[in-house]
Amino acid sequence: MREITIFNKSHSTREIREYFHNEKKPFIVRNVIKSKINLDFLIDKFKEEKVISLNPNSDKEILSVGSLIQKVKNGKKYRLRANTKLGNKICKYIDTSFIKNIKNQKKHLFDYLLSFGKTSRQKTLFMSTKDCTFTKHSHIISGIILHLDGKKTWYISDKRESFLSIKYKSLLNPNPLYVTDKKPNKEISFNLNPGDLLYMPAYWFHYTISHDTNISYSYFFTEPIKYYLTKTFIMFAYQAVTNPIFSLVKALKKEPEEHIYDRDDIIMRCNKIRDKKKRKEALKFFKNNDYS
Ligand SMILES: [Fe+2]
């Protein structure tokens, strides 16, 4: 896969649905979501809501949505990562019918884990600001990303990475995240603009870079078990063994919002690496990736 497949309004829903179910590769649908969500909308609807943000130092900071957005408007590098609190509240203002049209509503085994706790982990809101980036990572869940405001550059692997090439396989346990090196020359990059939809399959490596403030909504879900057994067997089996289901459930019982890693958390994990050289390397690796 050298380029990502791009659909637009002229393609039939059936064609896109078939691609989604049969290919299981990333794709974009351009300009299919209507949304009025921007910074002013967030202030208008959720001003008093308290959220866990990451501040310019990549530390967690609890702020009201009103003061968070004021800081963002003043050019401060604050961000919201996978915020379930706002994600669950905002979904009624987003036309998600396109997701329902391409993805059937059947729940798969692991989807029940995503529904643990008070709020669903399936509905999340992201807000990034200039120069925000993230480590190159992949996860056990798939995502349908609806880009709502501003522009974001995505970098994704051109194929499924080999298991052996993955740099950090269990550093972030019990959160089942694989992390690896960025290779911008080999990756596929594209921008998402307001109204665009992106499908990111489970265990497909990706990261983003923001050049300006942008907002997106991600709907996370798990694939049928057949997907994990046929397409990503080693990645799935390794996590099942090293990150057994009970520790996963324990992690999931924490309120979803608290899941986001901040600088202190990552540093603490890196400092636990016994080998001095590897420890130093890990600290440098995450420092260059915004920690979050
Ligand atoms: Fe991700």
Side-chain angles (χ1 to χ4, degrees), residues 47-213:
K47 191 168 52 198
E48 308 294 336
E49 208 72 60
K50 292 268 191 283
V51 286
I52 301 176
S53 69
L54 289 173
N55 68 18
N57 196 30
S58 297
D59 295 320
K60 279 180 189 167
E61 198 174 314
I62 299 174
L63 290 169
S64 69
V65 170
S67 62
L68 168 65
I69 291 183
Q70 203 46 59
K71 287 174 192 294
V72 169
K73 284 189 169 185
N74 290 339
K76 296 263 168 59
K77 193 183 166 191
Y78 275 78
R79 56 207 179 274
L80 278 181
R81 290 205 46 80
N83 191 285
T84 49
K85 197 173 184 182
L86 291 187
N88 279 273
K89 287 182 194 264
I90 212 166
C91 64
K92 69 175 176 190
Y93 301 106
I94 305 170
D95 180 9
T96 54
S97 57
F98 200 84
I99 298 179
K100 293 188 190 100
N101 289 342
I102 52 172
K103 184 195 170 299
N104 59 30
Q105 291 306 292
K106 222 166 91 186
K107 272 201 170 189
H108 299 117
L109 182 65
F110 304 108
D111 282 331
Y112 292 98
L113 293 177
L114 294 174
S115 310
F116 256 68
K118 285 182 210 148
T119 47
S120 164
R121 283 167 181 79
Q122 296 194 283
K123 300 165 184 174
T124 65
L125 192 79
F126 287 73
M127 181 184 65
S128 305
T129 48
K130 192 175 180 301
D131 297 332
C132 285
T133 185
F134 192 62
T135 48
K136 185 174 178 182
H137 66 282
S138 75
H139 24 81
I140 191 168
I141 48 179
S142 290
I144 290 182
I145 295 102
L146 308 182
H147 199 80
L148 304 175
D149 191 41
K151 187 173 82 178
K152 192 183 236 178
T153 307
W154 280 75
Y155 294 82
I156 66 170
S157 292
D158 60 350
K159 56 181 182 312
R160 288 198 166 84
E161 302 276 347
S162 78
F163 180 75
L164 288 175
S165 74
I166 301 171
K167 192 158 184 167
Y168 297 109
K169 297 186 179 76
S170 49
L171 188 71
L172 301 177
N173 278 1
N175 199 336
L177 265 187
Y178 286 128
V179 167
T180 202
D181 283 320
K182 295 175 179 174
K183 291 183 196 123
N185 296 334
K186 286 190 172 175
E187 289 153 355
I188 300 170
S189 79
F190 51 86
N191 288 328
L192 288 190
N193 295 302
D196 292 347
L197 174 151
L198 168 69
Y199 166 54
M200 188 50 55
Y203 292 125
W204 200 291
F205 278 88
H206 58 275
Y207 62 96
T208 63
I209 297 179
S210 291
H211 306 288
D212 239 320
T213 306

